[in-house]
Amino acid sequence: MTAVLKLNAEHPQPEAIDQAASIIRAGGLVAFPTETVYGLGADAMNESAIRRIFEAKGRPADNPLIVHVCDHAMLDLVATDVSAKAEALIAAFWPGPLTLVLNRRPAVARSVSAGLATVAVRMPGSQIALDLIRQAQTPIAAPSANLSGRPSPTTAAHVASDLEGRIEMILDGGATNIGIESTVLDTTSEPPVILRPGWVTREQLAEVIGRVELAATDEELKRSPGTRHRHYSPRANIVLVENYSSKSMEQLAESLLRNGPVGFIGHTRFAIDHPGFNAIVLNNSAEDYARFIYSAFRELDELGASIIIVEGISEAGEGVAVMDRLRRAASETRSQLVSRDLNG
Ligand code: TXA
Ligand code: MG
């Protein structure tokens, strides 16, 4: 049985935080909202508790977790050799959606880092998360609170639909603000490298510490094992289209409808009168796409879509992180689909 406690996101009820913190201290699992997505938390210093996270999610053991801290003293329990650049980023962006890869202290449970010498750490920007960590008096390791391979959860209902019965408690603080996961920056290399783009952009990082690179090579991506795995995906296949007219998206949808129900997520409105067609229209902004993309994936899955057409947005600023998630979720791009059709 999974207990679900509804909390006030700005002023979390202390009794509820107390209950959740006791579960963490006893080695149990609690899902909680951060400003990005819901996390599935356990005591980062307790190896058997961490193993339960991997079991509950069905997560591959080679994909390390992010440790969440509530202050600098707690950061010092899990990481060492924090560089001057890392300190400057902490001062500028914490609490907030920036995860720093740092040298790991041995007291951190081994499975958290999946065998790496480093540990990923962030201070989340939600009051519920901060109160929970402070009350538990221990750093909390938390991956996104979805079954491995499913879209990250942005509501408590998403968490329940994936993890009900597998975890002790869900703290329900309403829908998360940002909607996509934090930026992951490796600060153990020089210059630092973005391993996963997120809401804190490369430009914002560069303003504080100068040159920052974007992981591009396979060698670099090996440092963020999670990027190897299929991620952020609904059950339906995704076709990503960029710079399409409403007419050509309509034609694409009509041709795909011959093979089964079709979903559409995008910012362009077009009408198709077919019972198998469902559209979710968003504002043409990185903010709205980030906030609603994962719930849109889940909603269209529930409506039985076998394929979802997703209209891309401009790959600038925060749009870089949104397009990163869309490309990872996409099983095919429009051009792959066309060449598959042409080749039978
Ligand atoms: O916004 C977020 O980051 C959310 C909330 C809950 O904090 N968490 C999240 O966790 O997205 P998860 O497990 O879904 O993604 C963690 C990412 C993975 O891509 C993983 O490979 C990378 O962080 N990571 C963790 N530890 C690492 C390390 N030591 N070195 C490199 N990459 C690491
Ligand atoms: Mg995840």
Side-chain angles (χ1 to χ4, degrees):
M1 268 297 290
T2 301
V4 181
L5 303 187
K6 266 209 185 323
L7 291 191
N8 182 310
E10 275 84 53
H11 303 285
Q13 293 81 334
E15 319 79 59
I17 295 290
D18 255 359
Q19 281 187 50
S22 309
I23 292 171
I24 296 285
R25 275 199 303 271
L29 304 183
V30 175
F32 59 94
T34 76
E35 79 281 39
T36 58
V37 300
Y38 274 72
L40 176 59
D43 181 353
M45 317 308 253
N46 178 336
E47 177 66 23
S48 63
I50 298 306
R51 291 210 180 146
R52 282 198 54 209
I53 290 183
F54 285 86
E55 268 166 41
K57 284 187 53 115
R59 184 178 178 101
D62 66 351
N63 192 3
L65 310 180
I66 295 171
V67 174
H68 297 69
V69 300
C70 64
D71 55 30
H72 206 290
M74 213 177 251
L75 167 65
D76 293 334
L77 291 178
V78 298
T80 84
D81 316 314
V82 180
S83 67
K85 286 184 181 179
E87 290 290 3
L89 293 171
I90 288 169
F93 296 108
W94 282 9
L98 175 64
T99 296
L100 301 176
V101 173
L102 300 159
N103 285 325
R104 162 183 182 275
R105 280 200 192 272
V108 179
R110 287 187 63 84
S111 305
V112 165
S113 293
L116 300 172
T118 54
V119 62
V121 189
R122 82 179 189 102
M123 188 188 294
S126 89
Q127 200 56 51
I128 293 175
L130 291 171
D131 286 4
L132 175 63
I133 301 162
R134 189 164 297 116
Q135 193 61 26
Q137 296 178 309
T138 187
I140 295 183
S144 50
N146 50 282
L147 285 175
S148 192
R150 300 271 299 141
S152 292
T154 55
T155 68
H158 296 162
V159 178
S161 94
D162 278 15
L163 298 175
E164 166 72 49
R166 296 169 177 247
I167 65 179
E168 277 80 12
M169 183 175 279
I170 301 172
L171 296 180
D172 179 355
T176 60
N177 246 321
I178 295 175
I180 59 172
E181 308 82 354
S182 63
T183 307
V184 178
L185 182 75
D186 186 353
T187 67
T188 67
S189 62
E190 187 46 48
V193 179
I194 296 174
L195 300 177
R196 179 176 73 183
W199 206 246
V200 176
T201 64
R202 183 184 188 175
E203 294 76 22
Q204 289 175 304
L205 296 170
E207 259 174 50
V208 179
I209 58 166
R211 190 160 151 226
V212 171
E213 273 175 10
L214 201 62
T217 66
D218 286 351
E219 196 45 50
E220 281 167 333
L221 284 178
K222 277 195 193 113
R223 280 190 260 147
S224 190
T227 54
R228 282 200 304 267
H229 301 285
R230 186 173 151 94
H231 244 102
Y232 319 113
S233 336
R235 294 192 185 90
N237 288 315
I238 300 277
V239 181
L240 180 59
V241 299
E242 293 178 72
N243 304 314
Y244 266 60
S245 68
S246 61
K247 190 75 210 158
S248 37
M249 285 190 289
E250 193 182 317
Q251 284 167 350
L252 174 62
E254 270 163 354
S255 77
L256 292 172
L257 273 164
R258 284 185 231 123
N259 306 319
V262 172
F264 171 75
I265 303 169
H267 53 81
T268 301
R269 250 170 230 287
F270 58 92
I272 291 184
D273 189 18
H274 189 294
F277 182 73
N278 286 289
I280 295 176
V281 178
L282 305 174
N283 288 322
N284 185 4
S285 74
E287 200 166 38
D288 266 37
Y289 264 64
R291 193 169 288 159
F292 300 117
I293 193 70
Y294 290 142
S295 61
F297 282 167
R298 284 175 183 264
E299 198 178 322
L300 292 174
D301 264 349
E302 268 162 35
L303 290 168
S306 64
I307 197 154
I308 302 174
I309 302 168
V310 182
E311 184 180 13
I313 57 169
S314 151
E315 209 157 8
E318 291 87 354
V320 173
V322 169
M323 289 302 292
D324 168 77
R325 304 308 187 273
L326 296 184
R327 289 191 208 290
R328 283 175 205 286
S331 25
E332 305 183 88
T333 61
R334 167 73 176 131
S335 58
Q336 286 167 329
L337 192 74
V338 168
S339 64
R340 195 190 65 183
D341 276 7
L342 292 177
N343 299 322

